[in-house]
Amino acid sequence: EPEVTQTPSHQVTQMGQEVILRCVPISNHLYFYWYRQILGQKVEFLVSFYNNEISEKSEIFDDQFSVERPDGSNFTLKIRSTKLEDSAMYFCASKIDRGPSYEQYFGPGTRLTVT
Amino acid sequence: ILNVEQSPQSLHVQEGDSTNFTCSFPSSNFYALHWYRWETAKSPEALFVMTLNGDEKKKGRISATLNTKEGYSYLYIKGSQPEDSATYLCAFESGGSNYKLTFGKGTLLTVNP
């Protein structure tokens, strides 16, 4: 069964460094998302991406964050200058089409630890 | 700000017990309600997507109901097994939101053999 994959599974970085989290969504999906979960808190929406552009972003998704789909396969989340509070599990998700009956398929997450 | 609440936060049951948990969500601007099963170090697995008031869905021993007018959904597990141990997440999808999901905090279920 097709699945969403994410790399790396765990990333440790120092405050102020740039990180790129990578995702390979399911191949025929059209909608892409990043979510994150800070330990002990709810999974929260960061950004949605469709037709090669951001369709919606949350207040968390400030100028330090960017997303890209560079080659029609990968979907990346970049954090330019990481802060301690960026430490979280980051999930990528994809959805085949618009409409309420379609599921969002999630990857296993990347645990980002900022020291 | 959309508020999705789940209860209880955690639950311990014995193998064979049946159990249920609740998700409450805004009753306005409803589009869909999703249930996910999430085991540590794995991808959250989609269980159900529910869209219509009164919907009931079933997958094996797991079933779910939906009441959009009062803003709640129940997830039921019949005859719990140790492999059902996981966090069960519900997520609300509101209309016109680019299909983003707003999650509850989850219910952590532990089934003791």
Side-chain angles (χ1 to χ4, degrees):
Chain A
E1 189 175 324
E3 58 184 20
V4 177
T5 59
Q6 290 186 245
T7 54
S9 57
H10 192 188
Q11 172 95 45
V12 181
T13 190
Q14 287 192 325
M15 199 165 56
Q17 295 297 303
E18 175 183 285
V19 293
I20 297 176
L21 309 183
R22 300 180 194 280
C23 168
V24 179
I26 296 172
S27 62
N28 59 343
H29 283 196
L30 301 177
Y31 292 81
F32 311 107
Y33 306 84
W34 283 100
Y35 294 84
R36 76 174 187 189
Q37 186 190 36
I38 294 170
L39 193 62
Q41 298 185 22
K42 295 179 180 181
V43 174
E44 51 191 354
F45 167 79
L46 292 177
V47 66
S48 59
F49 192 86
Y50 169 70
N51 201 25
N52 282 319
E53 60 183 21
I54 289 174
S55 44
E56 186 175 351
K57 56 185 180 180
S58 71
E59 289 175 359
I60 303 164
F61 195 91
D62 61 22
D63 291 345
Q64 292 301 309
F65 290 86
S66 62
V67 288
E68 223 179 18
R69 188 157 160 81
D71 55 11
S73 171
N74 293 283
F75 180 49
T76 61
L77 174 69
K78 184 195 292 188
I79 310 175
R80 283 190 188 80
S81 177
T82 49
K83 306 185 195 83
L84 294 175
E85 55 265 37
D86 293 328
S87 295
M89 180 75 93
Y90 287 80
F91 291 101
C92 170
S94 68
K95 178 170 163 149
I96 190 167
D97 202 348
R98 60 192 300 139
S101 58
Y102 296 106
E103 297 161 344
Q104 285 189 25
Y105 290 83
F106 281 76
T110 293
R111 180 162 297 286
L112 177 65
T113 303
V114 183
T115 61
Chain B
I1 295 177
L2 298 173
N3 204 22
V4 179
E5 297 294 337
Q6 290 187 249
S7 62
Q9 207 168 358
S10 65
L11 196 51
H12 289 253
V13 301
Q14 289 299 124
E15 184 174 353
D17 287 351
S18 293
T19 186
N20 66 85
F21 10 100
T22 307
C23 173
S24 64
F25 53 86
S27 53
S28 60
N29 207 22
F30 176 86
Y31 202 59
L33 194 282
H34 299 247
W35 280 101
Y36 286 88
R37 179 177 178 279
W38 184 25
E39 288 182 71
T40 305
K42 294 187 178 178
S43 304
E45 173 199 352
L47 290 174
F48 305 113
V49 182
M50 308 178 78
T51 56
L52 298 174
N53 185 45
D55 248 357
E56 287 189 33
K57 294 213 171 177
K58 190 173 178 184
K59 188 184 278 192
R61 293 179 292 100
I62 306 177
S63 60
T65 61
L66 179 68
N67 183 322
T68 59
K69 292 184 177 171
E70 294 179 46
Y72 64 83
S73 175
Y74 294 132
L75 189 81
Y76 300 91
I77 303 179
K78 188 176 174 184
S80 304
Q81 300 296 308
E83 57 265 31
D84 295 329
S85 297
T87 296
Y88 291 82
L89 296 168
C90 76
F92 173 77
E93 188 175 354
S94 55
S97 65
N98 288 298
Y99 315 109
K100 74 178 182 201
L101 300 180
T102 302
F103 282 85
K105 215 169 178 184
T107 293
L108 174 60
L109 174 67
T110 306
V111 182
N112 300 310

